[in-house]
Amino acid sequence: MSNVLAKIQDIRIDVRVTRRLRLRIVDTASLTIQKGQLLGLIGESGSGKTMLCRALVGTLNRRGAYVHSGSIDFEGIDLVKASKKDWRNIRGHKIGYIPQSALAGPNPVMRIGAQLAEAITQGGRKSKEEVRRRSIELLELVQIRRPEVVLKQYPYELSGGMKQRVMIACAIAQNPKLIVADEPTTGLDVTVQAEIMELLRNIRKEFDTSIILVSHDLQLINSVCDDIVVMHAGATIEKVPSSKVTAALHPYTHALYDSRIDLVEPRGKLRTIKGQPPSVGKWPTGCRFADRCDFVKDVCRSTDPTPFVQVNDSQWSACIRHKEIYGGAK
């Protein structure tokens, strides 16, 4: 029996700029999500992470975007071809979403109880008592104290961490098999970030839920995720187990991790990636990291598109010179 929950294959996402003009924002992105896996998705701003997440939950059209080509197989259903009726049975039920703007996510004019009720009743009609009981159960699950009081409150009465927990409660209301968490700790202090991540780990363990975690906090990603997928300039360029990240096979991945602020000595100089990422949709021929790479050669610019290939049982890379640079997979 296959352990694969979802598989994204060669996805290309375009956005409508004008009636005729289309801008390609994601190009040849691929990743596989295993059942019960916590998968980290990293990359600089503009690399396409959020759009890939939106493709997984079927909300690209809200940003004027659409999947131009490729497939997203989720339990035998190609989400790219899914109808509105299909999505009503998938979004929220089988795939939960914690948005990037989770702190502003709760509706400011609705009480918390009413917002939870919306998430709970997606599965069909329930009595007021059933909804109330499930709402309290969800708030207790996300470790909110005095849930009976919180149900009557408005979002402005809650702290940032509590708003985030409410959004997580809404995302898990239907016990989905996959949760897409798009930077769920953004804007929270370090202590609350740790609590939110511990909460997601507990949810994963208790319900065997798969989680895609998008974050710019590389230390966090490396400490909590099983595997890491790296995106750059609209494409997936590396997939590596978090335990092997120091043996990554793409120079961009090494450059990202070398620029972590927690690696800087006191009063030391922060290492940065030279140059700027290529403009969205205006990518150069060949490797899109070539202009910023310390190992670039002419061959790096001649192969287009740069293939994203499996190197061994656990690693994928889009660097055509990984054997030459790093001596192959370790």
Side-chain angles (χ1 to χ4, degrees), residues 32 67 91 138 174 198-199 235 249 254 277-279 286 298:
T32 299
V67 175
R91 190 187 300 115
L138 287 168
Q174 299 292 333
E198 183 63 26
L199 174 59
L249 299 174
H254 284 279
S279 298
D298 290 343

Coordinates of all heavy atoms in Angstrom, one line a residue, residues 32 67 91 138 174 198-199 235 249 254 277-279 286 298:
T32 N 6.6 15.6 -3.1 CA 5.8 14.5 -2.7 C 5.6 14.6 -1.2 O 6.5 14.8 -0.5 CB 6.4 13.1 -3.1 OG1 6.6 13.0 -4.5 CG2 5.6 11.9 -2.6
V67 N -3.5 27.2 -12.5 CA -2.5 26.2 -12.9 C -2.5 26.0 -14.4 O -3.5 25.6 -14.9 CB -2.7 24.8 -12.2 CG1 -1.7 23.8 -12.7 CG2 -2.6 24.9 -10.7
R91 N -11.6 20.8 0.4 CA -11.1 22.0 1.2 C -11.7 22.0 2.6 O -12.9 22.1 2.7 CB -11.3 23.3 0.4 CG -10.6 24.5 1.0 CD -11.0 25.7 0.4 NE -10.7 25.7 -1.1 CZ -11.6 25.8 -2.0 NH1 -12.9 25.8 -1.7 NH2 -11.3 25.8 -3.3
L138 N -12.3 21.7 20.4 CA -11.2 22.2 19.5 C -10.3 23.2 20.3 O -9.1 23.2 20.2 CB -11.8 22.8 18.3 CG -12.4 21.9 17.2 CD1 -13.2 22.6 16.2 CD2 -11.2 21.1 16.6
Q174 N -12.4 19.6 10.8 CA -12.9 18.4 10.1 C -11.9 17.2 10.1 O -12.0 16.3 9.3 CB -13.2 18.8 8.7 CG -14.3 19.9 8.6 CD -15.7 19.4 9.0 OE1 -16.0 18.2 9.0 NE2 -16.5 20.3 9.5
E198 N 5.0 23.3 18.9 CA 4.8 22.2 19.7 C 3.3 21.7 19.5 O 3.1 20.5 19.5 CB 5.0 22.5 21.2 CG 4.8 21.3 22.1 CD 5.8 20.2 21.9 OE1 6.9 20.5 21.3 OE2 5.5 19.0 22.2
L199 N 2.4 22.6 19.4 CA 1.0 22.3 19.1 C 0.8 21.5 17.8 O 0.2 20.5 17.7 CB 0.2 23.6 19.1 CG -1.3 23.4 18.7 CD1 -2.0 22.5 19.7 CD2 -2.0 24.8 18.7
A235 N 10.9 27.4 -8.9 CA 11.1 26.0 -9.2 C 11.6 25.3 -7.9 O 12.2 25.9 -7.0 CB 12.1 25.8 -10.3
L249 N 22.9 19.1 -1.8 CA 23.6 19.0 -3.0 C 23.4 20.1 -4.0 O 23.7 20.0 -5.2 CB 23.2 17.7 -3.7 CG 23.5 16.4 -2.9 CD1 22.9 15.2 -3.6 CD2 25.0 16.2 -2.7
H254 N 23.0 25.5 0.6 CA 24.1 25.8 1.5 C 24.1 27.3 1.7 O 24.4 27.7 2.9 CB 25.4 25.3 0.8 CG 25.6 23.8 0.9 ND1 26.1 23.2 2.1 CD2 25.4 22.9 0.0 CE1 26.1 21.9 1.9 NE2 25.7 21.7 0.6
P277 N 17.6 37.8 -6.3 CA 17.0 36.8 -7.0 C 16.5 37.3 -8.4 O 16.2 38.5 -8.5 CB 15.8 36.4 -6.1 CG 16.1 36.9 -4.8 CD 17.0 38.1 -5.0
P278 N 16.4 36.5 -9.4 CA 15.9 37.0 -10.7 C 14.4 37.5 -10.6 O 13.7 36.9 -9.7 CB 16.0 35.8 -11.6 CG 16.1 34.6 -10.7 CD 16.8 35.1 -9.5
S279 N 14.0 38.4 -11.4 CA 12.6 38.9 -11.3 C 11.7 37.8 -11.7 O 12.0 36.9 -12.5 CB 12.4 40.1 -12.3 OG 13.3 41.2 -12.0
G286 N 19.1 28.4 -18.2 CA 19.9 27.5 -17.4 C 19.6 27.6 -15.9 O 18.5 28.0 -15.5
D298 N 30.2 27.6 -17.4 CA 29.4 27.8 -18.6 C 28.3 26.8 -18.7 O 27.2 27.1 -19.2 CB 30.2 27.8 -19.8 CG 31.1 29.1 -19.9 OD1 30.8 30.1 -19.2 OD2 32.1 29.0 -20.7

